[in-house]
Amino acid sequence: MFLSVFDVFKIGIGPSSSHTMGPMSAANRFLDELAHGDWPRARNAQPAALTASLHGSLAFTGVGHGSGRAVILGLCGKTPDTVDPDEMDALIASVEASGQLHPPGHPAYRFRPQRDLVFDKHTKLPGHPNGLQFAAFDADGGLLLRRVYYSIGGGFVVSEAELETVKAASPADADVPYPFANASDMLAMAAATGLSIAQLKRANEQATLSRTQLDKGIDAIWSAMSNCIDRGLAQDGIMPGGLKVKRRAKAIHGQLDAQWQRNEITPLMANDWLSVYAMAVNEENAAGGRVVTAPTNGAAGVIPAVLRYFLKFNAGASPGNIADYMLTAAAIGGIIKHNASISGAEVGCQGEVGSASAMAAAGLCAIMGGTPTQVENAAEIALEHHLGMTCDPVGGLVQIPCIERNAFGAVKAVTAASLAMKGDGIHAVPLDACVETMRQTGMDMSERYKETSLAGLAVNFPAC
């Protein structure tokens, strides 16, 4: 299975790719199956009512992540990439008041969120910690269709049947010029061809897209990322959710910009700018704004922060660096997703911020002139120093520790790229070994520390 740069980077809304974007997309899929699927239809039986239930991590932290809201919006026919954040509250309020859904191209369906949307903390679905179940009934209450979907991280949604196919599929079997399934294969192909990792990835993308389509698509992704930084730097106030967490990016940016205008160089300047860019993105994400999975929403700030920092402070930077950065990052992200996971509900935050930091480190190393082996080394260094990181969001919200964690992921990425650039690419631990270590660590990690808010900061913070 080939994972495109546009699979890794998807435009959507906050606060979570797996818990917000995924449920919305799953609801979209159920509507499509209801209208066009090849399922047995009894004579004259017409769907009249819908229900939905969330399971596993979606049930435990779904309220804080807006999962229920996302399901309602998805059943209204809204999609993560096009829904208007400013219209969501009114649409949800309308469904709650009327007890009806009116998705385009469908009849009206009865759906009473208080009764028909269940956060089931007791029933685990077998395929993945993030499970959803939808059902459709006729006017007499007879079951017509039931479907299960899994939100497997980064906004990806699969059915029960597709889950097994995805697990069995290998990028090595993809119909592309350079089908690398791991970092070892990637480096071997780079050595054999003399191509950079970005060039290998570009050739694979252009097996199905023209160069113009690919570059326009990458420009759109970066534009969405950059706009998200700018919005985050312009907003202040209290973020939603009840923790009363204040936005800080605007105030910090004001201080940094004043120093910049005075040509005041401080020892902490690099860390400060990286941090403020990352925090701006994740404050927007926490507020339910427009963001790009990179590779998830909870880790959305790392990759754009590092690229914005490079473009602002490197005199030799050019717009041409953007595509190489994004393609290299996507190549690393695909390797991690295939061989381990980018889902906090599967492996903890090492799979989210850890993966994002590795991707950013690789991308930065590439556009600074690093060789493929140096790029692979940069990714390994960044990922290695996130191993074991848990996902324990306070209140089930993508705020504490998630926002600051993105800042640290960006700083680690730049540090990793710098260390790799100062070496020759030869290093003790290969990226593939580090990815496998992350997978094993995630499998051993208690589910209490994997996006359930049942342990760690999520439990101890209220007692302080």
Side-chain angles (χ1 to χ4, degrees):
M1 181 184 70
F2 173 63
L3 199 65
S4 169
V5 63
F6 304 117
D7 293 321
V8 177
F9 302 119
K10 295 188 286 292
I11 298 173
I13 58 166
S16 173
S17 50
S18 60
H19 286 56
T20 313
M21 290 173 59
M24 192 182 301
S25 296
N28 295 155
R29 289 198 56 176
F30 184 68
L31 285 180
D32 186 65
E33 176 75 3
L34 198 58
H36 307 295
D38 184 20
W39 51 276
R41 290 168 168 81
R43 184 182 299 273
N44 299 323
Q46 296 295 327
L50 307 182
T51 65
S53 58
L54 292 81
H55 303 263
S57 176
L58 291 178
F60 282 104
T61 62
V63 174
H65 285 79
S67 302
R69 291 166 53 85
V71 166
I72 295 171
L73 291 166
L75 291 176
C76 288
K78 301 300 180 181
T79 62
D81 58 328
T82 61
V83 63
D84 184 346
D86 294 330
E87 296 179 354
M88 295 191 302
D89 287 345
L91 186 55
I92 291 168
S94 174
V95 174
E96 290 175 338
S98 67
Q100 284 197 323
L101 300 162
H102 298 274
H106 290 254
Y109 299 121
R110 188 186 71 200
F111 186 81
R112 301 153 299 182
Q114 297 251 343
R115 294 180 57 180
D116 298 326
L117 177 60
V118 178
F119 291 81
D120 187 344
K121 297 181 180 179
H122 305 290
T123 307
K124 294 181 181 179
L125 299 181
H128 189 278
N130 294 334
L132 304 96
Q133 188 167 239
F134 295 88
F137 302 85
D138 63 23
D140 296 324
L143 177 65
L144 299 179
L145 179 66
R146 189 187 303 276
R147 287 290 184 266
V148 170
Y149 301 97
Y150 295 105
S151 179
I152 61 174
F156 291 90
V157 172
V158 295
S159 67
E160 287 181 289
E162 291 167 344
L163 183 64
E164 295 307 314
T165 302
V166 167
K167 289 179 179 178
S170 171
D173 300 326
D175 187 18
V176 294
Y178 304 106
F180 52 85
N182 51 50
S184 176
D185 290 348
M186 179 183 70
L187 291 179
M189 292 176 185
T193 61
L195 298 176
S196 69
I197 292 170
Q199 288 170 330
L200 294 176
K201 185 66 173 170
R202 176 176 284 279
N204 288 344
E205 297 285 348
Q206 290 181 194
T208 56
L209 297 171
S210 70
R211 186 181 185 90
T212 299
Q213 288 174 317
L214 176 60
D215 287 337
K216 286 182 67 175
I218 292 174
D219 286 345
I221 292 294
W222 171 240
S223 177
M225 287 180 168
S226 187
N227 289 340
C228 185
I229 293 176
D230 292 338
R231 288 196 309 272
L233 295 178
Q235 304 295 324
D236 54 18
I238 304 297
M239 285 177 285
L243 291 180
K244 299 182 180 180
V245 176
K246 291 179 61 176
R247 286 183 183 247
R248 290 178 287 166
K250 180 179 180 181
I252 295 172
H253 181 255
Q255 297 173 46
L256 295 177
D257 195 50
Q259 291 176 337
W260 180 254
Q261 297 297 327
R262 297 193 300 266
N263 291 320
E264 182 179 323
I265 307 299
T266 72
L268 301 178
M269 186 177 74
N271 287 358
D272 288 343
W273 281 98
L274 286 164
S275 296
V276 78
Y277 290 149
M279 290 172 65
V281 171
N282 282 84
E283 287 178 356
E284 275 296 291
N285 178 62
R290 179 73 63 208
V291 296
V292 179
T293 63
T296 67
N297 283 23
V302 178
I303 289 170
V306 171
L307 182 53
R308 172 68 77 89
Y309 175 81
F310 176 83
L311 294 173
K312 179 177 178 67
F313 290 100
N314 189 315
S318 72
N321 294 134
I322 296 171
D324 285 347
Y325 176 88
M326 301 292 279
L327 289 166
T328 305
I332 299 302
I335 288 171
I336 295 173
K337 177 170 172 51
H338 173 65
N339 294 288
S341 176
I342 58 170
S343 168
E346 278 194 303
V347 296
C349 198
Q350 58 177 349
E352 297 203 30
V353 171
S355 296
S357 187
M359 294 163 66
L364 180 60
C365 185
I367 60 178
M368 291 195 304
T371 65
T373 54
Q374 288 174 318
V375 169
E376 183 260 2
N377 187 18
E380 187 280 325
I381 293 170
L383 184 60
E384 180 180 331
H385 298 290
H386 286 87
L387 290 177
M389 183 177 285
T390 61
C391 182
D392 53 352
V394 175
L397 301 167
V398 193
Q399 297 178 17
I400 300 172
C402 317
I403 294 170
E404 289 179 351
R405 191 167 280 180
N406 276 259
F408 278 79
V411 170
K412 286 184 181 181
V414 172
T415 302
S418 180
L419 287 172
M421 286 293 294
K422 290 176 172 59
D424 57 8
I426 299 172
H427 54 289
V429 180
L431 175 60
D432 289 332
C434 193
V435 172
E436 173 59 15
T437 301
M438 185 182 80
R439 186 192 70 80
Q440 293 177 7
T441 303
M443 295 304 101
D444 290 340
M445 189 183 294
S446 167
E447 68 175 15
R448 290 162 54 81
Y449 294 95
K450 292 192 286 190
E451 211 164 357
T452 57
S453 292
L454 294 175
L457 279 176
V459 172
N460 291 311
F461 172 79
C464 296

